Amino acid sequence: MLSLLIVDDEPTIVDTLASTIDWKRIEIMTVHKAYSAREALDILADYAVDIVIVDINMPRMSGIELVAQIYRQYCHVKSVLLSGHAEFAYAQQAMSYGVSDYLLKPISDEDLIKVIAGLVKEIKEEWQEIVSRRRVVQTLKESLPALKDKLLNELLTGRIKDDALSPLLDMYDLPFQEGESVCIMVIRMEESLPEFNEQDFFLLEYAIMNIAAEMFRSSYDHWSCKDSNGCLVLMIRRKSGQEHESVSAEDRKKFDALAMQLQRNIGLYLKRVVSMIISRWGSFPEEVGLLYSGIIDHMRSKLANESGCFFSGELSDAAAVRQPLQRLYETPTLQHLLEHRRWDEYEDKLQAAIQDMKQAGNLPEEYVREAFMMVAGSFYYYAHKHHCLLSDLVGGTGLLDRNVHSVQQLSELGLYLLNKLRASDQAEQRSSKDKLMLKIREYIDRNLRTASLQTIADAVYLHPVYLSRLYKAETGEGISDYVHKQRMLRAAELLRDPSLKIYEISEDLGFKNAAYFSKVFREEFGITPNEYREQL
């Protein structure tokens, strides 16, 4: 069900429209009322509003200015302008601000209901289009390259199960089938190209993949991604008709020749040196992870000083063993997780790496020391980025100076230090929010006459929408509710002074006029200001 906001500086008009029309009949379940543009913006920041009816002629901020701001900040909101004959041409200009309709005063209830009912229908149709199958399919097509890249990375690193893979292959229109022969090709660029930015590298990688696609088109299908090591990875299958046949020595020789030609063309046309490593042919999908990890381990252990090399076929058994710390080098890195305060993901990554080490068997102590250096390094990085000493955050240098010799020691000490950092961060966050809430309330108390969501946001250097949501989450009440409550409390206090006139108190608290002040006061306390003063 939808919500409506009525804005007019004449309270009687707003109240009449809100109370006399059966809005529920046209599926408007909530009607908000505002008596100024500023009050309307406060409501828009605090509540989900679908349609706004705005009077064009209001003081301080006109209806045109209000719908212009709504158009910029809340593009989904439909606006309807109410204008007199004198402002009719002026109202027509508002169409550039996304105004859905404009109506001449006085307007009958039937005409207004007809316009709003039309907007309700329009909004429902827009949302129906958003969730329609056609829109979903179009979105999927636009996202397909990124989805394919992500899925292949998960397959290469063993993060997806076979039963979850099959439906995704069909959805992404990937021609790979269970049991057919595939090989893995990894392309590593050897030049650092310091003058290149991220966009330059993206275009270069795109050009490489275009050359590969053109060369493999006639005989092979391929599925590509960029892995966590910055390499381009292609999984290759033969075209339909021979995919389930065994790969002969002649077949391998032909493919290797084509791959060598690809390496040559990259150098010839793009002027770039690349190394290329091709696995043996194996069964899809169960051997894919082993084929890939064999190549990566081979590169790490034997190709650090090589450039422009080409390897193909069976790699040594030693190279095909997955390294126990590989998970720690995969993205997102430990530093990245701490930098973004993703504490649970950091703990999961560390626990998984520890489990890998426990399952490795005959693990040299060097691996434990390497892992602890990575973990401790990420902690130092986090502390220094926040202008702190790690020893201060974890309670001294004694823990940091300990020698770690076993996986169990690594597990206990690493998780203990992680929890120390997490507790310190949570305490800092809590303290910062408490200080912010106090600063907001102090500003409101000092500026009750002019306090609004916008002025408060400006005072604490936050966006109004974010401020409204944060305040509601921290205190359980809307910021406009707090301002209203403080104004009423202040009004009750000022009424104790008989020398102050009602209109003086009204002006002092920022109300438009004494009549509106009396109306709001009565809604709050059940009696008028004069009756309240008489009771005192």
Side-chain angles (χ1 to χ4, degrees), residues 272-292:
R272 298 301 169 202
V273 177
V274 299
S275 287
M276 190 174 291
I277 301 92
I278 304 170
S279 73
R280 62 177 175 82
W281 290 76
S283 179
F284 177 85
E286 58 267 20
E287 291 189 88
V288 168
L290 183 62
L291 298 178
Y292 171 72

Side-chain angles (χ1 to χ4, degrees), residues 354-367:
I354 289 169
Q355 191 63 29
D356 289 345
M357 296 170 70
K358 288 180 177 178
Q359 294 175 353
N362 300 318
L363 185 73
E365 189 177 309
E366 277 190 11
Y367 285 101

Side-chain angles (χ1 to χ4, degrees), residues 22 30 109 127 218 274 332 345 416 421 431 464 466 513 527 530:
D22 184 8
T30 304
D109 290 354
W127 279 109
S218 60
V274 299
E345 292 180 56
Y416 181 83
L421 289 185
S431 175
Y466 174 74
N513 53 61
I527 55 177
N530 282 324

Side-chain angles (χ1 to χ4, degrees), residues 72-314:
R72 289 191 297 269
Q73 291 186 258
Y74 309 98
C75 58
H76 67 283
V77 176
K78 308 290 184 184
S79 298
V80 176
L81 273 179
L82 299 180
S83 67
H85 285 280
E87 304 101 14
F88 188 69
Y90 187 35
Q92 288 180 303
Q93 300 175 10
M95 301 304 287
S96 62
Y97 299 127
V99 173
S100 300
D101 211 334
Y102 49 93
L103 303 169
L104 283 174
K105 291 181 178 179
I107 181 173
S108 66
D109 290 354
E110 291 75 16
D111 290 341
L112 182 58
I113 289 173
K114 182 178 178 181
V115 169
I116 300 303
L119 292 180
V120 169
K121 181 180 178 182
E122 184 179 330
I123 291 170
K124 292 172 66 177
E125 289 175 350
E126 288 175 357
W127 279 109
Q128 186 61 38
E129 168 64 17
I130 289 172
V131 299
S132 68
R133 178 176 176 82
R134 184 177 64 83
R135 182 66 175 267
V136 172
V137 170
Q138 180 63 28
T139 303
L140 177 61
K141 287 181 178 179
E142 294 172 355
S143 306
L144 208 51
L147 293 172
K148 288 181 177 179
D149 185 291
K150 179 176 181 292
L151 181 60
L152 181 53
N153 266 292
E154 291 176 344
L155 179 60
L156 295 173
T157 54
R159 299 199 302 270
I160 187 168
K161 296 181 180 179
D162 292 351
D163 56 351
L165 176 64
S166 181
L168 292 176
L169 293 176
D170 293 335
M171 184 183 298
Y172 297 168
D173 196 24
L174 291 164
F176 293 81
Q177 301 176 17
E178 183 178 353
E180 64 185 11
S181 295
V182 297
C183 73
I184 302 296
M185 172 189 291
V186 175
I187 301 173
R188 182 181 72 182
M189 284 196 289
E190 303 295 4
E191 300 158 295
S192 61
L193 308 175
E195 74 280 7
F196 272 30
N197 57 33
E198 187 175 348
Q199 180 68 12
D200 294 330
F201 273 110
F202 174 80
L203 293 175
L204 177 58
E205 292 159 358
Y206 185 76
I208 291 174
M209 296 312 302
N210 276 346
I211 294 175
E214 185 63 30
M215 294 184 64
F216 295 152
R217 185 192 308 276
S218 60
S219 301
Y220 301 93
D221 291 314
H222 74 280
W223 177 8
S224 63
C225 71
K226 185 175 182 179
D227 71 2
S228 60
N229 305 296
C231 297
L232 299 177
V233 182
L234 293 83
M235 185 162 64
I236 309 295
R237 72 183 284 274
R238 292 178 294 175
K239 286 284 189 182
S240 298
Q242 56 178 342
E243 64 271 20
H244 289 287
E245 299 175 6
S246 61
V247 181
S248 66
E250 185 65 21
D251 294 329
R252 290 193 293 269
K253 185 176 180 180
K254 287 181 179 179
F255 180 76
D256 289 349
L258 190 61
M260 292 181 70
Q261 183 66 26
L262 170 62
Q263 185 184 37
R264 188 191 75 87
N265 286 349
I266 293 171
L268 182 64
Y269 299 115
L270 300 180
K271 312 300 182 187
R272 298 301 169 202
V273 177
V274 299
S275 287
M276 190 174 291
I277 301 92
I278 304 170
S279 73
R280 62 177 175 82
W281 290 76
S283 179
F284 177 85
E286 58 267 20
E287 291 189 88
V288 168
L290 183 62
L291 298 178
Y292 171 72
S293 63
I295 291 177
I296 297 302
D297 291 340
H298 191 79
M299 291 174 64
R300 287 175 176 169
S301 62
K302 298 185 178 181
L303 303 183
N305 296 320
E306 299 287 342
S307 181
C309 56
F310 183 94
F311 286 91
S312 177
E314 190 74 45

